[in-house]
Amino acid sequence: MILIWAVIVVAVAVPIAAAALSPLLAWRDPLYILAGFAGIVALGIMLFQPVLIGGYLPGLPARIGRRVHLWTGAVLVAAVVIHVAGLWITSPPDMIDALLFTSPTPFSPFGVIAMWAILAVAVLAVLRRRLGLRPRTWFLVHRLLAIVIVVGTVVHGLLIEGTMETVSKVALCALVVAATVKVMADLWMWRKRRTVHERTDIGASSA
């Protein structure tokens, strides 16, 4: 129980601490540093999202975990907004190139795609009742966008050579991918078993 919590906390805290000790910070503007750390925090939150929705954290009931998932999702959106806004203020031309997919840096398009996917999930989460999205449709769209978010963010982070220490960054990205794949597989199996049970019940009642 303690081990799972310890692994997750260490996986998130170590990259942040390593980035805080980076010598590159001496040459950065404070707002640029804030934007950079907002991006690192966003990556860390993405490790919590799947384990919360999957109920994998010991001592935290799945029902509460799903509620916390909503709040951490809001924090994720805020971190992304700070990340993008800070970079926009410190370097508008670079951000315009990134948003227009004309940036020469290979990591930019992945970050932009992940950003739009995160914002899309947030908007749909707020408006899904007004839009009349059925739970099954919402879960399908959410999962597809989550895949885009994870892939885009991980590739974006791995391609950047900045303040993050390489080993801890790779480890965190690997855990984010592993946790996402795990929860996707578990949810797929759960829905498959549920469908089988429903068909069995229907067959039994009709007989």
Side-chain angles (χ1 to χ4, degrees):
M1 175 175 171
I2 297 178
L3 180 61
I4 295 178
W5 278 99
V7 169
I8 293 176
V9 171
V10 169
V12 174
V14 170
I16 295 175
L21 297 174
S22 173
L24 295 177
L25 295 180
W27 313 102
R28 301 296 189 183
D29 181 87
L31 185 57
Y32 188 92
I33 294 174
L34 175 63
F37 274 89
I40 300 173
V41 169
L43 178 59
I45 293 173
M46 290 180 59
L47 176 58
F48 279 94
Q49 291 300 79
V51 297
L52 284 170
I53 204 67
Y56 303 142
L57 289 176
L60 190 66
R63 178 177 58 84
I64 298 177
R66 288 191 292 269
R67 185 173 299 177
V68 176
H69 175 87
L70 297 176
W71 288 104
T72 50
V75 176
L76 173 61
V77 173
V80 170
V81 170
I82 294 173
H83 180 63
V84 174
L87 295 177
W88 178 278
I89 294 173
T90 54
S91 184
D94 290 338
M95 281 305 301
I96 292 174
D97 288 343
L99 292 173
L100 295 177
F101 295 99
T102 58
S103 175
T105 54
F107 56 80
S108 294
F110 295 99
V112 172
I113 292 172
M115 176 197 71
W116 286 121
I118 290 172
L119 295 179
V121 170
V123 171
L124 289 175
V126 173
L127 300 178
R128 67 188 182 103
R129 290 185 178 179
R130 294 184 181 180
L131 295 174
L133 291 178
R134 296 179 179 180
R136 187 170 184 175
T137 302
W138 160 245
F139 290 137
L140 177 60
V141 173
H142 190 0
R143 274 178 282 179
L144 291 175
L145 288 173
I147 293 173
V148 174
I149 292 168
V150 169
V151 173
T153 302
V154 167
V155 176
H156 176 70
L158 292 176
L159 289 177
I160 294 178
E161 296 181 3
T163 57
M164 291 189 75
E165 188 272 330
T166 303
V167 175
S168 60
K169 177 175 67 173
V170 171
L172 176 56
C173 288
L175 285 174
V176 170
V177 173
T180 303
V181 171
K182 168 66 174 173
V183 73
M184 293 287 183
D186 287 351
L187 288 174
W188 180 79
M189 289 298 297
W190 176 79
R191 293 193 69 87
K192 185 177 180 180
R193 287 195 298 267
R194 183 179 178 182
T195 301
V196 171
H197 289 319
E198 289 176 350
R199 289 177 179 176
T200 303
D201 293 340
I202 292 173
S205 61
S206 61

